[in-house]
Amino acid sequence: MNNIDKDPKIGVFLCHCGDNIADTVKIKELKKELSKNKELVVKDHLFMCSESGQNLILKTLTDENIDRVVVASCSPKHHWNIFKNCIQQKLNPHMWEMANIREQCSWVHSDKDKATKKALSLITGAINKVKHHEPIGTKEVHLNQDVLVIGAGIAGMHASLELADKNFHVYLVEKSPSIGGNMTKLGRTFPTDDCSMCTVSPIMNEVNSHPNIELMTLSEVADFSGRPGEYIATVSTKPRYVDPDKCTGCGLCTEKCPVSIPSDYELGLKETKAIHIPFDSCVPEIAVIDGDSCLKITKGKCGVCEKICPADAIEYNQKPKTRKLKMGAVIVATGYQQMDLSDTEYNYEHPDVITGLQLERMITPSGPTGGKIICPSNGQEPKVITFIQCAGSRDQRYREYCSNICCMYSVKNAKIARSKLPHAVINMCYIDLRAPGRRYEEYYRRFREADVKMIMGRPSEIMEDKNGKLYFDIFDKSTDKFLQIKPDLIVLATALEPSEGTKKMADLLHLQYGMDRFLSPLHVKIAPVDTTNEGIYIVGTAEAPKSIQACITDAASAASRTATLLKEDKSMIDLTTAEIDLEKCTKCGKCIEECNYSAITDNYEIIDIACRGCGKCTAVCPEGAIEIRHLTNNQLKAQIDGILSVDPDTIIAYVTETCGYNAADIAGTSRREYSTKVKIVKLPCVGRLSVDDMIYPFEKGAKRVMVVACPEGLCHYIDGDAAAKEKVQEAKKILDKKNIGSEKLRFVPIVSPDGIKFQKICQEEAAKIKEVSND
Amino acid sequence: MKKLGLYLGCTIPTEQYGYEMSIREIMPEFDIELVDLENASCCGAPLKSVNLIMQMYLSARNIAICESKGLDMYAPCPQCHLSLTETKNRLRDSEKLREKIVKELMEYEGLEYKGDLNIYHTVDLFYDKIGLDVIKKKVKKPLEWNIACHYGCQTVRYSDAGRPDIAEHPSKMEEIIKVLGGETRDYSEKLNCCGAPLMITHKESALTKTGEKLKAIQDRNFDATAIVCPFGGRMLDSKQEKAGSTIGEKLDMPVFYLTQLIGLAMGKEKNKLGINLNLSSAKVLS
Amino acid sequence: MTDSVTDLFNMTKPEKEKYEDLVKELGVLGIEPPNICYQCSKCTSGCEAMKLLELEPHSIMASAKAGFIDEIMQSDLIWECIGCYKCKERCPQKMSPVELMYIIKNWSVSSGKQLPGDYPKILQGILSTGYIQNPLDVRDKKNNTWNRNSLGLPGLKRPIDQKKFTEAISKLATEGLGEI
C-alpha cells in the first residue's frame, strides 16, 4: 500500500514444509539472496499450504502491488488447487508458477549448499517464466444439446434410448429401410439361448415410439463439419416410394410384384421382390421399393403394386431428400459385416459352404427355410454338418485379429443343430475354444454334452469330388489321426470386419482407426468409447467384434459421456489452448496436419473446445506463429535462461507432466538420491518440443539435455512421444555439426511409477559429465 | 523383336525335349528372339535340402550370366523360376547374404551380380507380356477339346515371392486355352501336386500321386491336360503308364505342354513341336 | 528353454544354442522365429507328403519351437517333404515349415548324414558337369530313339570353366547360413 513503485512486483513464497525442505535447502539464505532483487517480494512460511500460509499469501497480495506469483514448495500434484484457489481471489488463476523444491530437490539431495543452489536455479527459472505469463481467460461456448446417433443396430438403439430417457433429442440415422441391425438376423443368442428377435423387437418398438427419438431410415450421413458442441451433419435420405403414413404393412404388394431380386437380409438364401416389407417384425413395418429394379420406376411399366394397394400408399414420384442437422455430439454405431471369403482355400463358391450368419437365417423359425437346416444345393437336410472355426480370423493373410464371438456362437449353433437333427453327425474343427465371459464355460460344457465331435485342427483346403460332394483332409491333434471328412454342409465361422458404413464414417468424421479399419477409442482401457474427437463416441462392433452384452455396455457408457458433455447448453472452457498470430502465419498447414484432435480449421482458426493443449503444433510451426497460451516459446526459453543463469553446470530434463514428472516425484518420495545437476522442466507432452527447444539449453550453457517421454504407445496425446523422438534425431545431427556432440542429447521413455529408473538415468547423465571433465 | 535370355535349367534340355522344341518353334511368331546363355548351369533348386547357400549361388550365377548380356530371362521351368526369383528377392532384402554371394561369384568365376532383370515363366510371359489379343490373332486351328490345366506347385506358390499366377484360383492358363479355342473349367484337384520331387527318395509314393492326379482329371471327363512344367511332363506324360500300374488304374490322358498346344492352334507341324516325343496318348489329335 | 525341462521318453533336453542358430538362419531367409506358430495343424492337413508318408509339418514346428532339434535332424521324415510350399502358402501366421526343414536338412548333411535316395547322384552330376544329368536318349511312342542332335537342338551350354565352377560349388558345400 505504501509502495510508491508503479511497476508491479512478483510475489515469491518459500515454504519450509516443516523441515522437509528446510533441513536441506537453506530457506533463509534463499530469501536473502532473492530479496536482493527489487522486482520481487519474498516471504517464507513453515507450512505455506496451511491456513496461515494461505493468509500470508493473501495479505501480501493485498498489501503489495503484485501481479504474479511463484510458490516454491512441494510437488504441484499435492496442493496445486489450494494455491490456485487462494491466488485467484486476487489474480487471474494463470498468473502464477510453482517450483518443486521438495520431491525434486530437498528429498533427493544431501549436500545442502548444492541443493540450495539448485533450489535457487529452479525458483529463478519459475520467476523468469512467470514474467511472460499472460492472464488466460475462459470462454463460453454454446452447446447444441441434440445428439446424432449413426446406425440403429443394438448399440445405436440402446444409446438412443438412454439419451432419450434423459430428455435429449436424438436423431437416429439408419441406412437400411428398417432398424435393428444384424441382431435381427440371428436365431438365438448366447449364453441364454433366447430368441434374438424377441430380445431386440421390444427395443425396436420403443425406439420407434419414443417422443425424443427422431428416426430416419434409408438415410446416411453424406457430409459432416463443425466443432464439438456444434456439429453439422448433412443427411441424405433415399426415397421409399411408399407413404409411411398410409402403408399398413399388409404385404399384398410383395405377393403380386413380378420382379425378384436378391435379398440382403436373407444373405443370398432367398430372394425377395422389388417391393417388399424388409422382414417380419421390422420397424417401421412399411414396404419399400428398390428403385433400381422396379419396372415402373426404371422403365415406366407394370405399376401393379399401386393398383392393388388397399391403402393407396405407393408413391413412385418420391425424390431423395437432404437435411442439415445440428447437434452437440455424435455416437457412431455403424457395426460390422462378415468378410467375403470368395477366392480363398475355403471354397465358399460351393452352395453348401455357408457362413455363420447364413446358418442363423436358417435356424430362425421365420427365416428363408422355415427354421430348417438344409443344404442349399438340394434343399435336403444334411446328415453331416461340419463347423470350421477361424475362417479368415487369426490369419496374417486375411484378418489378423480374433473375431471374439465365433467360438461361442458356433457352440450355440452346434447345440441347436443337434436338437434339430438328432441323428446328424456334427463336428467342429477348431484351434482354441474361447469362452471367456460369465456363464460361457458352463455353456461350453452343455455343448459338449450334445455329442458334437471336436477336431483340434484346421483343414488346408475344401475340396469337392467329381459329383460335387464336399470333402477335406484334416490332421486332428487330439487323436493324432489324419482324417478325411465328407460333410453335406460346411459352416464357416467367418471373420467379422468393419461394415462399409464404419469405414465411411471414419473418413467423414476424421476418426482414428486401426490397420484393420475398426475405429480406435481414445484409450483402449480407460476411455473405450471416447475418440480423439471431443464429442464423438464410438460404440458396438464398429469399434471391434464383440458380444451383444458388450454392445449394450458401450451404448450406456457413451450415453453417459454424451450427457456429461451436453448437460448444459453452454460450457465454460479454459483457454489453455492454442492461439495463432495470423500476421506471422504463412498458412503452410503443418499445424493442421500435426493436430490429432482436428482442432485447427482450414481457415487457421482454433476450435478451443477440441484443443487439448499438447503443443505439438507449436513444435512444427516454422514461423513460431502458433503457441499454446500456457507454455509459450518465450515462457519456455525464459525458464531455461533462469535455471542456467544461476547454474550452467546443469542437465536439463524435459519431462511430461504425466509419466516423467510422476517418476521424478516418486524418486523423491522414496528418497532416491541423484545429482543436483539435474533440473526438471515440466511440459504437457514432449511433443511440445521443437528441434530448437532441444538445442537451446546447450546454447545457454547446459551440459546435457534429456527428453523424458511416456512409453511408446502410451502417449497421452497419441503420438507426441514419436514426434519428439524424430526431432531428437534431427537435433542430434545439428549438435554434431555445431561440435557440441550428439551424444549429449538423450531420448528416454519412462513409465509413471519408475522412480528407480529416473534416479538411474540422472546418475548416468551426471557420470558422463564427470568423464568429460576428467580429460 | 524382343530378346530374352532362354534359361532352360536341367530337366528340359536333358530330357523334356518336347517343351524346348515347342518353345523354339513358336517364339519367333511372337516376335521374340531367344538367346541361349553360355556358361549356364543348374539353378540349384534340387539342392535346397543339401545346402541353401549352394542353391542361391547357382541361381545367382545364372542371373549374373543373363544380366551380363543385358537381357531379361525366360525360365520355362517353374522350379528354376522359383529358385531364381526367390534368390533375387533374398539377395535384395539381406545385405549380408548379398555381400557373400556377390563376393563369391566375383572371386571364383568373375561374374558380376546386380539382380535387376525380370524373370518370366511361360504362363506370365504369354498372359501378361504377350497378351491374349496377340495370341488370339495367331490361332488358325482352334483346339476344340476340353482341357484340364495343371499349373504345378511352383508356378503358383509361394505368393510372397511373386509368382506367374495367384495361388488359390489361378486362371491365366485357362484364359489362354480359351483363346486357343479350347474348352476348360476349374476342378477341385487342380492345385494337387504331381509328386515329382518325391522321385528322388520315394519313387512309389511319387508315382501314386501322379496316378491319383491323372485319375481325378480323367474322372472329370477332360479330353486332355495342359502343363507348364518339365517335372509335370516327366510324371504325367513320360511316367503315365507306370503311374497307372502303381495305383492299379487304366490311365489314358493326353498330356501336352501349353507351348505345344499354342503351336498346334497356330497350325505348326506336330513333329516340330516335339509332340511325337510325348509318351501319353495323342488320340485327341486325330 | 533351460536345463529345467527334460523329455522323459528320450531323456533329452532342449538345445538352446541350436534353437538360437535356427532362429538366426530363418532370419536370413526373412522368416520369423518358430515361436509364432500357434499349432493349428493347417500345414499338416494340406501336406502333400502327409497323405502318403506321414510327414507332420506342425509336429516338426512344435519340436523346433521346444528346442528338440537333434531329434528332427536324425529323423528321416523331413526328407519326405516335397517342397510343394502349400504349408508356407496357407499358414495363418506366415510360418514356413518347408524352409525350416531345408535348414535342418542342411545341418544334418553338414554333420555327416549320408544323402538319401538319388541325391548323391544329383550332387555329383552338378559338381562335375554343371547339370543333374547328361542329355538323355529318349524314346518316342514308336520306339525310335532321339537325342538333342537328332532333334536339331543346339548343344547344351555348360559352365565354361568347369574347374572353377566345381571349386566354387565344392567350397560352398562346406558353408552354411549361420555364417551370414
Side-chain angles (χ1 to χ4, degrees), chain A residues 360-390:
Chain A
E360 295 282 349
R361 292 310 305 139
M362 281 192 195
I363 60 186
T364 310
S366 59
T369 59
K372 284 174 112 174
I373 300 177
I374 55 146
C375 299
S377 64
N378 57 16
Q380 305 287 323
E381 283 187 337
K383 294 199 180 61
V384 183
I385 307 178
T386 302
F387 290 84
I388 298 180
Q389 301 303 100
C390 305

Short mmCIF file of all heavy atoms in Angstrom, two decimals, chain A residues 360-390:
data_model
loop_
_atom_site.label_atom_id
_atom_site.label_comp_id
_atom_site.label_asym_id
_atom_site.label_seq_id
_atom_site.Cartn_x
_atom_site.Cartn_y
_atom_site.Cartn_z
N GLU A 360 -27.59 -68.73 -39.19
CA GLU A 360 -28.54 -68.06 -38.30
C GLU A 360 -29.88 -67.86 -39.01
O GLU A 360 -30.95 -68.08 -38.44
CB GLU A 360 -28.02 -66.69 -37.86
CG GLU A 360 -26.77 -66.71 -37.02
CD GLU A 360 -27.02 -67.08 -35.58
OE1 GLU A 360 -28.18 -67.12 -35.14
OE2 GLU A 360 -26.02 -67.33 -34.87
N ARG A 361 -29.83 -67.46 -40.27
CA ARG A 361 -31.07 -67.26 -41.02
C ARG A 361 -31.83 -68.58 -41.13
O ARG A 361 -33.05 -68.63 -41.04
CB ARG A 361 -30.78 -66.71 -42.43
CG ARG A 361 -30.23 -65.30 -42.52
CD ARG A 361 -31.01 -64.29 -41.74
NE ARG A 361 -32.42 -64.27 -42.09
CZ ARG A 361 -33.41 -64.16 -41.19
NH1 ARG A 361 -33.16 -64.04 -39.92
NH2 ARG A 361 -34.67 -64.14 -41.61
N MET A 362 -31.09 -69.65 -41.30
CA MET A 362 -31.76 -70.96 -41.44
C MET A 362 -32.44 -71.38 -40.15
O MET A 362 -33.53 -71.94 -40.17
CB MET A 362 -30.75 -72.03 -41.83
CG MET A 362 -30.37 -72.02 -43.29
SD MET A 362 -29.47 -73.55 -43.63
CE MET A 362 -28.75 -73.14 -45.19
N ILE A 363 -31.79 -71.14 -39.02
CA ILE A 363 -32.38 -71.68 -37.78
C ILE A 363 -33.48 -70.78 -37.22
O ILE A 363 -34.18 -71.17 -36.30
CB ILE A 363 -31.32 -71.96 -36.70
CG1 ILE A 363 -30.57 -70.70 -36.31
CG2 ILE A 363 -30.35 -73.01 -37.17
CD1 ILE A 363 -29.42 -70.98 -35.34
N THR A 364 -33.62 -69.60 -37.77
CA THR A 364 -34.71 -68.73 -37.31
C THR A 364 -36.04 -69.28 -37.83
O THR A 364 -36.17 -69.55 -39.01
CB THR A 364 -34.53 -67.31 -37.87
OG1 THR A 364 -33.21 -66.89 -37.62
CG2 THR A 364 -35.50 -66.35 -37.25
N PRO A 365 -37.01 -69.43 -36.96
CA PRO A 365 -38.29 -70.03 -37.41
C PRO A 365 -38.94 -69.26 -38.56
O PRO A 365 -39.54 -69.84 -39.44
CB PRO A 365 -39.19 -69.95 -36.17
CG PRO A 365 -38.30 -69.66 -35.03
CD PRO A 365 -37.00 -69.13 -35.54
N SER A 366 -38.75 -67.94 -38.57
CA SER A 366 -39.39 -67.16 -39.64
C SER A 366 -38.44 -66.93 -40.79
O SER A 366 -38.65 -66.06 -41.63
CB SER A 366 -39.82 -65.81 -39.06
OG SER A 366 -38.68 -65.15 -38.54
N GLY A 367 -37.36 -67.68 -40.84
CA GLY A 367 -36.33 -67.45 -41.85
C GLY A 367 -36.66 -68.07 -43.20
O GLY A 367 -37.74 -68.61 -43.40
N PRO A 368 -35.70 -68.00 -44.13
CA PRO A 368 -35.95 -68.44 -45.51
C PRO A 368 -36.19 -69.94 -45.64
O PRO A 368 -36.69 -70.40 -46.67
CB PRO A 368 -34.66 -68.03 -46.24
CG PRO A 368 -33.62 -67.95 -45.18
CD PRO A 368 -34.33 -67.51 -43.94
N THR A 369 -35.81 -70.74 -44.64
CA THR A 369 -36.04 -72.19 -44.74
C THR A 369 -37.02 -72.66 -43.69
O THR A 369 -37.12 -73.85 -43.41
CB THR A 369 -34.70 -72.94 -44.56
OG1 THR A 369 -34.17 -72.61 -43.26
CG2 THR A 369 -33.70 -72.57 -45.62
N GLY A 370 -37.75 -71.73 -43.12
CA GLY A 370 -38.75 -72.09 -42.11
C GLY A 370 -38.15 -72.74 -40.88
O GLY A 370 -38.76 -73.60 -40.25
N GLY A 371 -36.93 -72.34 -40.54
CA GLY A 371 -36.33 -72.88 -39.32
C GLY A 371 -35.63 -74.20 -39.52
O GLY A 371 -35.13 -74.80 -38.57
N LYS A 372 -35.54 -74.68 -40.78
CA LYS A 372 -34.87 -75.97 -41.01
C LYS A 372 -33.45 -75.73 -41.51
O LYS A 372 -33.19 -74.83 -42.30
CB LYS A 372 -35.60 -76.76 -42.09
CG LYS A 372 -36.89 -77.40 -41.61
CD LYS A 372 -37.60 -78.02 -42.77
CE LYS A 372 -37.59 -79.53 -42.63
NZ LYS A 372 -38.40 -80.16 -43.67
N ILE A 373 -32.54 -76.59 -41.04
CA ILE A 373 -31.19 -76.54 -41.58
C ILE A 373 -31.17 -77.42 -42.82
O ILE A 373 -31.47 -78.61 -42.76
CB ILE A 373 -30.17 -77.07 -40.55
CG1 ILE A 373 -30.23 -76.21 -39.27
CG2 ILE A 373 -28.77 -77.03 -41.14
CD1 ILE A 373 -29.32 -76.68 -38.18
N ILE A 374 -30.84 -76.81 -43.95
CA ILE A 374 -30.82 -77.58 -45.21
C ILE A 374 -29.54 -77.29 -45.99
O ILE A 374 -28.86 -76.31 -45.74
CB ILE A 374 -32.01 -77.21 -46.11
CG1 ILE A 374 -32.02 -75.69 -46.35
CG2 ILE A 374 -33.32 -77.66 -45.50
CD1 ILE A 374 -32.51 -75.32 -47.71
N CYS A 375 -29.26 -78.19 -46.94
CA CYS A 375 -28.16 -77.92 -47.86
C CYS A 375 -28.72 -77.08 -49.01
O CYS A 375 -29.60 -77.54 -49.72
CB CYS A 375 -27.62 -79.22 -48.44
SG CYS A 375 -26.96 -80.32 -47.20
N PRO A 376 -28.22 -75.88 -49.21
CA PRO A 376 -28.76 -75.03 -50.27
C PRO A 376 -28.74 -75.69 -51.66
O PRO A 376 -29.57 -75.37 -52.50
CB PRO A 376 -27.86 -73.79 -50.24
CG PRO A 376 -27.36 -73.74 -48.84
CD PRO A 376 -27.23 -75.15 -48.39
N SER A 377 -27.80 -76.64 -51.89
CA SER A 377 -27.71 -77.19 -53.24
C SER A 377 -28.91 -78.05 -53.60
O SER A 377 -29.32 -78.12 -54.75
CB SER A 377 -26.43 -78.02 -53.39
OG SER A 377 -26.49 -79.14 -52.52
N ASN A 378 -29.50 -78.74 -52.62
CA ASN A 378 -30.61 -79.63 -52.98
C ASN A 378 -31.80 -79.52 -52.02
O ASN A 378 -32.77 -80.26 -52.16
CB ASN A 378 -30.13 -81.08 -53.02
CG ASN A 378 -29.52 -81.52 -51.70
OD1 ASN A 378 -29.71 -80.88 -50.66
ND2 ASN A 378 -28.78 -82.61 -51.73
N GLY A 379 -31.75 -78.63 -51.06
CA GLY A 379 -32.87 -78.45 -50.15
C GLY A 379 -33.06 -79.57 -49.14
O GLY A 379 -34.01 -79.57 -48.37
N GLN A 380 -32.13 -80.56 -49.15
CA GLN A 380 -32.26 -81.68 -48.20
C GLN A 380 -31.62 -81.35 -46.87
O GLN A 380 -30.70 -80.53 -46.81
CB GLN A 380 -31.53 -82.92 -48.75
CG GLN A 380 -31.96 -83.34 -50.13
CD GLN A 380 -33.33 -83.97 -50.07
OE1 GLN A 380 -33.65 -84.68 -49.11
NE2 GLN A 380 -34.14 -83.71 -51.06
N GLU A 381 -32.08 -82.03 -45.83
CA GLU A 381 -31.42 -81.85 -44.54
C GLU A 381 -30.07 -82.55 -44.58
O GLU A 381 -29.96 -83.66 -45.09
CB GLU A 381 -32.29 -82.43 -43.42
CG GLU A 381 -33.45 -81.53 -43.06
CD GLU A 381 -34.21 -82.02 -41.83
OE1 GLU A 381 -34.12 -83.21 -41.52
OE2 GLU A 381 -34.87 -81.18 -41.19
N PRO A 382 -29.03 -81.92 -44.04
CA PRO A 382 -27.70 -82.55 -44.08
C PRO A 382 -27.61 -83.69 -43.08
O PRO A 382 -28.20 -83.62 -42.00
CB PRO A 382 -26.77 -81.40 -43.66
CG PRO A 382 -27.62 -80.48 -42.87
CD PRO A 382 -29.01 -80.60 -43.39
N LYS A 383 -26.87 -84.74 -43.45
CA LYS A 383 -26.65 -85.81 -42.49
C LYS A 383 -25.34 -85.59 -41.75
O LYS A 383 -25.09 -86.15 -40.69
CB LYS A 383 -26.61 -87.16 -43.21
CG LYS A 383 -27.93 -87.54 -43.84
CD LYS A 383 -27.98 -89.04 -44.12
CE LYS A 383 -29.30 -89.45 -44.75
NZ LYS A 383 -29.53 -88.77 -46.05
N VAL A 384 -24.46 -84.80 -42.38
CA VAL A 384 -23.18 -84.49 -41.76
C VAL A 384 -22.95 -82.99 -41.85
O VAL A 384 -22.97 -82.43 -42.95
CB VAL A 384 -22.01 -85.22 -42.47
CG1 VAL A 384 -20.71 -84.94 -41.75
CG2 VAL A 384 -22.28 -86.72 -42.54
N ILE A 385 -22.79 -82.35 -40.70
CA ILE A 385 -22.51 -80.90 -40.69
C ILE A 385 -21.15 -80.67 -40.06
O ILE A 385 -20.86 -81.25 -39.02
CB ILE A 385 -23.52 -80.12 -39.84
CG1 ILE A 385 -24.95 -80.45 -40.24
CG2 ILE A 385 -23.28 -78.62 -39.97
CD1 ILE A 385 -25.97 -79.73 -39.38
N THR A 386 -20.34 -79.84 -40.69
CA THR A 386 -19.05 -79.51 -40.10
C THR A 386 -18.94 -78.01 -39.89
O THR A 386 -19.21 -77.23 -40.80
CB THR A 386 -17.88 -79.97 -41.01
OG1 THR A 386 -18.00 -81.36 -41.22
CG2 THR A 386 -16.55 -79.66 -40.37
N PHE A 387 -18.55 -77.64 -38.68
CA PHE A 387 -18.28 -76.24 -38.39
C PHE A 387 -16.77 -76.02 -38.49
O PHE A 387 -16.01 -76.78 -37.90
CB PHE A 387 -18.73 -75.89 -36.96
CG PHE A 387 -20.22 -75.86 -36.80
CD1 PHE A 387 -20.93 -77.04 -36.56
CD2 PHE A 387 -20.92 -74.68 -36.88
CE1 PHE A 387 -22.32 -77.02 -36.41
CE2 PHE A 387 -22.31 -74.64 -36.73
CZ PHE A 387 -23.00 -75.81 -36.50
N ILE A 388 -16.36 -75.02 -39.23
CA ILE A 388 -14.94 -74.72 -39.32
C ILE A 388 -14.69 -73.35 -38.73
O ILE A 388 -15.24 -72.35 -39.21
CB ILE A 388 -14.43 -74.79 -40.76
CG1 ILE A 388 -14.63 -76.21 -41.29
CG2 ILE A 388 -12.96 -74.39 -40.85
CD1 ILE A 388 -14.18 -76.40 -42.71
N GLN A 389 -13.90 -73.30 -37.67
CA GLN A 389 -13.67 -72.05 -36.95
C GLN A 389 -12.54 -71.23 -37.56
O GLN A 389 -11.74 -71.74 -38.35
CB GLN A 389 -13.35 -72.35 -35.47
CG GLN A 389 -14.45 -73.10 -34.75
CD GLN A 389 -15.76 -72.36 -34.81
OE1 GLN A 389 -16.63 -72.67 -35.63
NE2 GLN A 389 -15.91 -71.36 -33.99
N CYS A 390 -12.49 -69.95 -37.13
CA CYS A 390 -11.41 -69.05 -37.54
C CYS A 390 -11.25 -68.98 -39.05
O CYS A 390 -10.12 -69.02 -39.55
CB CYS A 390 -10.08 -69.46 -36.92
SG CYS A 390 -10.11 -69.59 -35.15
#
